[in-house]
Protein backbone atom coordinates (compact mmCIF):
# COMPACT_ATOMS: atom_id res chain seq x y z
CA UNK A 1 0.00 0.00 0.00
CA UNK A 2 2.86 2.38 0.75
CA UNK A 3 4.29 1.80 -2.72
CA UNK A 4 0.88 2.41 -4.30
CA UNK A 5 0.38 5.61 -2.34
CA UNK A 6 3.85 6.80 -3.28
CA UNK A 7 3.12 6.20 -6.97
CA UNK A 8 -0.16 8.08 -6.68
CA UNK A 9 1.59 11.05 -5.05
CA UNK A 10 4.22 11.06 -7.79
CA UNK A 11 1.54 11.01 -10.48
CA UNK A 12 -0.31 13.85 -8.79
CA UNK A 13 2.89 15.91 -8.76
CA UNK A 14 3.39 15.21 -12.48
CA UNK A 15 -0.23 16.16 -13.12
CA UNK A 16 0.13 19.45 -11.30
CA UNK A 17 3.32 20.22 -13.23
CA UNK A 18 1.62 19.73 -16.59
CA UNK A 19 -1.62 21.42 -15.64
CA UNK A 20 0.27 24.48 -14.41
CA UNK A 21 2.27 24.89 -17.62
CA UNK A 22 0.07 23.29 -20.28
CA UNK A 23 -3.38 23.33 -18.81
CA UNK A 24 -5.18 24.50 -21.91
CA UNK A 25 -4.76 21.20 -23.74
CA UNK A 26 -5.30 17.61 -22.68
CA UNK A 27 -1.91 16.29 -23.74
CA UNK A 28 -1.02 12.68 -24.37
CA UNK A 29 0.91 12.75 -21.10
CA UNK A 30 -2.24 13.82 -19.24
CA UNK A 31 -4.27 11.06 -20.88
CA UNK A 32 -1.56 8.47 -20.13
CA UNK A 33 -1.46 9.48 -16.47
CA UNK A 34 -5.26 9.36 -16.13
CA UNK A 35 -5.40 5.95 -17.81
CA UNK A 36 -2.61 4.53 -15.62
CA UNK A 37 -4.18 5.92 -12.46
CA UNK A 38 -7.56 4.51 -13.47
CA UNK A 39 -6.20 0.98 -13.75
CA UNK A 40 -4.11 1.19 -10.56
CA UNK A 41 -6.61 2.97 -8.37
CA UNK A 42 -9.76 1.26 -9.64
CA UNK A 43 -13.33 2.54 -9.67
CA UNK A 44 -14.42 1.83 -6.09
CA UNK A 45 -14.88 5.05 -4.16
CA UNK A 46 -14.30 7.35 -7.14
CA UNK A 47 -15.85 10.80 -6.80
CA UNK A 48 -19.03 11.00 -8.90
CA UNK A 49 -19.91 14.24 -10.72
CA UNK A 50 -23.48 14.85 -11.89
CA UNK A 51 -24.19 17.50 -14.52
CA UNK A 52 -27.56 19.17 -15.16
CA UNK A 53 -28.92 19.53 -17.79
CA UNK A 54 -27.72 16.89 -20.24
CA UNK A 55 -28.73 19.15 -23.16
CA UNK A 56 -29.28 22.91 -23.23
CA UNK A 57 -30.96 24.42 -26.30
CA UNK A 58 -29.84 28.03 -26.69
CA UNK A 59 -30.27 31.04 -28.93
CA UNK A 60 -27.42 33.53 -29.48
CA UNK A 61 -27.34 36.04 -26.64
CA UNK A 62 -28.94 33.73 -24.06
CA UNK A 63 -27.45 33.11 -20.62
CA UNK A 64 -26.54 29.45 -20.16
CA UNK A 65 -26.06 27.88 -16.72
CA UNK A 66 -24.60 24.39 -16.34
CA UNK A 67 -24.61 22.81 -12.90
CA UNK A 68 -22.16 20.23 -11.57
CA UNK A 69 -22.57 18.42 -8.25
CA UNK A 70 -20.00 16.13 -6.62
CA UNK A 71 -20.96 13.37 -4.20
CA UNK A 72 -18.33 14.56 -1.71
CA UNK A 73 -16.68 17.90 -0.97
CA UNK A 74 -13.75 18.81 -3.25
CA UNK A 75 -13.09 22.37 -2.02
CA UNK A 76 -12.60 24.55 -5.14
CA UNK A 77 -11.00 21.76 -7.20
CA UNK A 78 -13.45 21.67 -10.12
CA UNK A 79 -12.45 22.59 -13.68
CA UNK A 80 -14.58 23.12 -16.80
CA UNK A 81 -13.78 21.97 -20.35
CA UNK A 82 -15.42 22.43 -23.76
CA UNK A 83 -15.14 19.69 -26.37
CA UNK A 84 -16.12 20.14 -30.00
CA UNK A 85 -16.38 17.30 -32.54
CA UNK A 86 -12.97 16.10 -33.67
CA UNK A 87 -11.10 18.32 -31.20
CA UNK A 88 -9.41 17.78 -27.84
CA UNK A 89 -11.20 19.21 -24.78
CA UNK A 90 -10.28 22.85 -24.12
CA UNK A 91 -9.89 24.19 -20.60
CA UNK A 92 -12.19 27.12 -19.83
CA UNK A 93 -12.24 27.48 -16.05
CA UNK A 94 -9.90 26.01 -13.43
CA UNK A 95 -10.23 25.84 -9.65
CA UNK A 96 -13.93 26.73 -9.87
CA UNK A 97 -13.62 30.44 -10.68
CA UNK A 98 -10.39 31.11 -12.60
CA UNK A 99 -10.74 31.81 -16.31
CA UNK A 100 -7.95 30.24 -18.35
CA UNK A 101 -5.79 32.56 -20.49
CA UNK A 102 -7.49 33.60 -23.72
CA UNK A 103 -10.98 32.51 -22.69
CA UNK A 104 -13.62 35.22 -23.35
CA UNK A 105 -15.04 36.94 -20.28
CA UNK A 106 -18.56 35.71 -21.11
CA UNK A 107 -17.44 32.45 -19.42
CA UNK A 108 -17.43 32.40 -15.62
CA UNK A 109 -17.44 29.79 -12.88
CA UNK A 110 -18.65 29.65 -9.30
CA UNK A 111 -18.96 27.17 -6.46
CA UNK A 112 -17.20 25.48 -3.57
CA UNK A 113 -17.51 22.15 -1.80
CA UNK A 114 -20.04 20.10 -3.77
CA UNK A 115 -22.03 22.52 -5.95
CA UNK A 116 -20.52 24.28 -8.96
CA UNK A 117 -21.83 26.30 -11.91
CA UNK A 118 -20.48 27.31 -15.29
CA UNK A 119 -22.21 30.40 -16.73
CA UNK A 120 -22.03 31.69 -20.31
CA UNK A 121 -23.39 35.25 -20.51
CA UNK A 122 -24.40 36.11 -24.08
CA UNK A 123 -23.70 32.69 -25.56
CA UNK A 124 -22.51 32.64 -29.19
CA UNK A 125 -22.91 30.07 -31.93
CA UNK A 126 -19.22 29.22 -31.65
CA UNK A 127 -19.87 28.05 -28.07
CA UNK A 128 -21.79 24.97 -29.26
CA UNK A 129 -20.29 21.74 -27.99
CA UNK A 130 -20.18 19.46 -24.96
CA UNK A 131 -19.14 20.94 -21.61
CA UNK A 132 -17.57 18.77 -18.92
CA UNK A 133 -16.80 19.43 -15.27
CA UNK A 134 -13.84 17.59 -13.73
CA UNK A 135 -12.71 17.25 -10.15
CA UNK A 136 -8.99 17.52 -9.40
CA UNK A 137 -9.16 17.00 -5.65
CA UNK A 138 -8.69 13.22 -5.48
CA UNK A 139 -7.25 10.53 -7.71
CA UNK A 140 -8.51 9.40 -10.15
CA UNK A 141 -9.60 12.76 -11.56
CA UNK A 142 -13.17 12.03 -12.64
CA UNK A 143 -15.50 13.87 -15.04
CA UNK A 144 -19.18 14.64 -15.21
CA UNK A 145 -21.36 13.14 -17.93
CA UNK A 146 -21.30 16.27 -20.07
CA UNK A 147 -23.79 18.96 -21.10
CA UNK A 148 -24.39 19.53 -24.80
CA UNK A 149 -25.09 23.16 -25.72
CA UNK A 150 -26.98 23.21 -29.02
CA UNK A 151 -28.44 25.94 -31.23
CA UNK A 152 -31.62 25.44 -33.23
CA UNK A 153 -35.41 25.29 -33.21
CA UNK A 154 -37.13 22.49 -31.33
CA UNK A 155 -38.43 20.07 -33.96
CA UNK A 156 -40.55 16.94 -33.54
CA UNK A 157 -39.18 13.98 -35.51
CA UNK A 158 -41.14 11.68 -37.77
CA UNK A 159 -41.28 8.07 -36.52
CA UNK A 160 -41.46 4.94 -38.70
CA UNK A 161 -41.35 1.21 -37.86
CA UNK A 162 -39.75 -1.13 -40.38
CA UNK A 163 -39.67 -4.93 -40.40
CA UNK A 164 -36.49 -6.58 -41.62
CA UNK A 165 -36.58 -9.33 -44.23
CA UNK A 166 -36.25 -12.88 -42.91
CA UNK A 167 -32.68 -14.19 -43.11
CA UNK A 168 -32.24 -17.35 -45.20
CA UNK A 169 -30.37 -18.96 -42.31
CA UNK A 170 -32.79 -17.92 -39.59
CA UNK A 171 -36.47 -17.45 -38.85
CA UNK A 172 -35.63 -14.41 -36.71
CA UNK A 173 -36.80 -10.99 -37.82
CA UNK A 174 -36.26 -7.76 -35.93
CA UNK A 175 -38.17 -4.49 -36.02
CA UNK A 176 -36.41 -1.18 -36.58
CA UNK A 177 -37.77 2.15 -35.35
CA UNK A 178 -36.46 5.23 -37.14
CA UNK A 179 -36.99 8.78 -35.87
CA UNK A 180 -35.85 11.37 -38.40
CA UNK A 181 -35.24 15.14 -38.51
CA UNK A 182 -35.74 16.09 -34.86
CA UNK A 183 -34.11 18.63 -32.53
CA UNK A 184 -32.49 18.76 -30.00
CA UNK A 185 -30.34 15.64 -29.69
CA UNK A 186 -31.84 14.14 -26.50
CA UNK A 187 -35.03 12.61 -27.88
CA UNK A 188 -35.32 8.99 -26.76
CA UNK A 189 -37.02 5.96 -28.30
CA UNK A 190 -39.06 3.34 -26.43
CA UNK A 191 -41.10 0.28 -27.40
CA UNK A 192 -44.50 -1.02 -26.30
CA UNK A 193 -45.72 -4.53 -27.17
CA UNK A 194 -49.46 -5.08 -26.62
CA UNK A 195 -49.41 -2.32 -24.03
CA UNK A 196 -46.33 -3.53 -22.13
CA UNK A 197 -42.96 -1.79 -22.22
CA UNK A 198 -40.05 -3.51 -23.93
CA UNK A 199 -36.37 -2.63 -24.05
CA UNK A 200 -34.80 -2.23 -27.48
CA UNK A 201 -31.25 -1.59 -28.62
CA UNK A 202 -31.07 2.16 -29.26
CA UNK A 203 -28.44 4.40 -30.82
CA UNK A 204 -27.64 8.00 -29.81
CA UNK A 205 -28.79 10.84 -32.02
CA UNK A 206 -26.78 11.43 -35.20
CA UNK A 207 -26.64 14.96 -36.61
CA UNK A 208 -27.55 15.37 -40.27
CA UNK A 209 -26.13 18.06 -42.56
CA UNK A 210 -29.12 20.32 -41.88
CA UNK A 211 -28.41 20.32 -38.12
CA UNK A 212 -31.33 18.02 -37.28
CA UNK A 213 -30.90 14.60 -35.67
CA UNK A 214 -31.91 11.02 -36.41
CA UNK A 215 -32.26 8.08 -34.00
CA UNK A 216 -32.86 4.34 -34.33
CA UNK A 217 -33.83 1.44 -32.10
CA UNK A 218 -34.26 -2.27 -32.85
CA UNK A 219 -36.47 -4.88 -31.21
CA UNK A 220 -35.72 -8.60 -31.50
CA UNK A 221 -38.36 -11.05 -32.72
CA UNK A 222 -38.49 -12.75 -29.31
CA UNK A 223 -39.97 -9.53 -27.92
CA UNK A 224 -42.79 -9.10 -30.43
CA UNK A 225 -43.39 -12.15 -32.65
CA UNK A 226 -46.51 -13.31 -30.79
CA UNK A 227 -47.93 -9.82 -30.23
CA UNK A 228 -50.86 -8.17 -31.98
CA UNK A 229 -49.51 -4.62 -31.99
CA UNK A 230 -46.14 -2.95 -31.50
CA UNK A 231 -45.59 0.77 -31.00
CA UNK A 232 -42.46 2.90 -30.97
CA UNK A 233 -42.49 6.27 -29.24
CA UNK A 234 -40.10 9.20 -29.51
CA UNK A 235 -40.11 11.24 -26.30
CA UNK A 236 -38.68 14.52 -25.07
CA UNK A 237 -39.18 16.30 -21.76
CA UNK A 238 -40.40 19.51 -23.41
CA UNK A 239 -42.55 18.03 -26.20
CA UNK A 240 -45.52 15.71 -26.58
CA UNK A 241 -44.46 12.23 -27.77
CA UNK A 242 -44.49 11.07 -31.38
CA UNK A 243 -45.73 7.48 -31.88
CA UNK A 244 -45.82 4.93 -34.69
CA UNK A 245 -47.73 1.64 -34.51
CA UNK A 246 -47.43 -1.62 -36.41
CA UNK A 247 -49.85 -4.53 -36.33
CA UNK A 248 -48.01 -7.83 -36.64
CA UNK A 249 -50.43 -8.83 -39.40
CA UNK A 250 -48.80 -6.05 -41.45
CA UNK A 251 -45.37 -7.73 -41.27
CA UNK A 252 -44.35 -9.62 -44.42
CA UNK A 253 -43.82 -13.37 -44.13
Amino acid sequence: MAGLRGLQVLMEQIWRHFTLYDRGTMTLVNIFIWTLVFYIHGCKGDIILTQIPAVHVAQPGDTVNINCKTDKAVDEEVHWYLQKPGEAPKLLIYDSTNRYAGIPDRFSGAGYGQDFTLTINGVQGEDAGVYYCQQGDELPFTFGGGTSVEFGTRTRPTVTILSSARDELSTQRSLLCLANRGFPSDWTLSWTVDGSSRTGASSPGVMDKDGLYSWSSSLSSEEWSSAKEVTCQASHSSESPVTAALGTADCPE
Side-chain angles (χ1 to χ4, degrees), residues 11 15 19 25-41 79 81 89 134-135 139-143:
M11 287 179 174
W15 158 260
T19 53
T25 304
M26 290 179 65
T27 65
L28 289 175
V29 174
N30 296 146
I31 296 171
F32 170 76
I33 292 171
W34 290 344
T35 303
L36 186 58
V37 169
F38 175 82
Y39 281 107
I40 292 175
H41 191 79
H79 322 302
Y81 292 86
Q134 178 227 358
Q135 65 83 19
L139 291 168
F141 302 129
T142 45
F143 287 81

Side-chain angles (χ1 to χ4, degrees), residues 11-205:
M11 287 179 174
E12 185 169 7
Q13 290 172 345
I14 296 172
W15 158 260
R16 292 188 181 278
H17 170 78
F18 276 96
T19 53
L20 280 171
Y21 295 101
D22 192 21
R23 215 164 181 177
T25 304
M26 290 179 65
T27 65
L28 289 175
V29 174
N30 296 146
I31 296 171
F32 170 76
I33 292 171
W34 290 344
T35 303
L36 186 58
V37 169
F38 175 82
Y39 281 107
I40 292 175
H41 191 79
C43 295
K44 186 176 181 179
D46 293 357
I47 295 176
I48 298 173
L49 293 83
T50 303
Q51 286 184 228
I52 298 175
V55 174
H56 185 106
V57 177
Q59 298 298 324
D62 287 353
T63 295
V64 174
N65 290 304
I66 302 173
N67 298 314
C68 177
K69 186 176 182 64
T70 62
D71 66 346
K72 63 183 293 186
V74 295
D75 297 333
E76 76 285 354
E77 292 288 335
V78 160
H79 322 302
W80 291 94
Y81 292 86
L82 166 61
Q83 184 169 30
K84 297 185 178 183
E87 299 181 11
K90 177 181 180 182
L91 180 65
L92 303 173
I93 302 290
Y94 64 94
D95 294 341
S96 180
T97 60
N98 298 292
R99 191 180 303 113
Y100 185 71
I103 300 302
D105 60 7
R106 63 178 178 272
F107 292 91
S108 62
Y112 186 88
Q114 291 183 261
D115 295 289
F116 300 85
T117 303
L118 174 70
T119 298
I120 313 172
N121 286 304
V123 68
Q124 303 298 312
E126 65 191 51
D127 301 332
V130 183
Y131 291 78
Y132 294 95
C133 59
Q134 178 227 358
Q135 65 83 19
D137 184 66
E138 182 178 297
L139 291 168
F141 302 129
T142 45
F143 287 81
T147 295
S148 179
V149 173
E150 303 173 3
F151 293 83
T153 301
R154 295 185 183 276
T155 304
R156 289 158 54 82
T158 59
V159 179
T160 306
I161 299 178
L162 303 175
S163 175
S164 64
R166 179 172 289 156
D167 192 299
E168 294 180 359
L169 302 178
S170 172
T171 59
Q172 304 300 310
R173 187 170 58 223
S174 62
L175 295 181
L176 181 66
C177 179
L178 299 176
N180 295 310
R181 298 180 57 76
F183 187 89
S185 65
D186 57 337
W187 283 80
T188 59
L189 298 179
S190 60
W191 292 92
T192 302
V193 177
D194 286 344
S196 299
S197 298
R198 294 289 188 272
T199 299
S202 299
S203 67

Side-chain angles (χ1 to χ4, degrees), residues 202-216:
S202 299
S203 67
V206 177
M207 181 183 286
D208 300 322
K209 292 181 179 180
D210 57 7
L212 299 178
Y213 290 84
S214 296
W215 303 261
S216 66

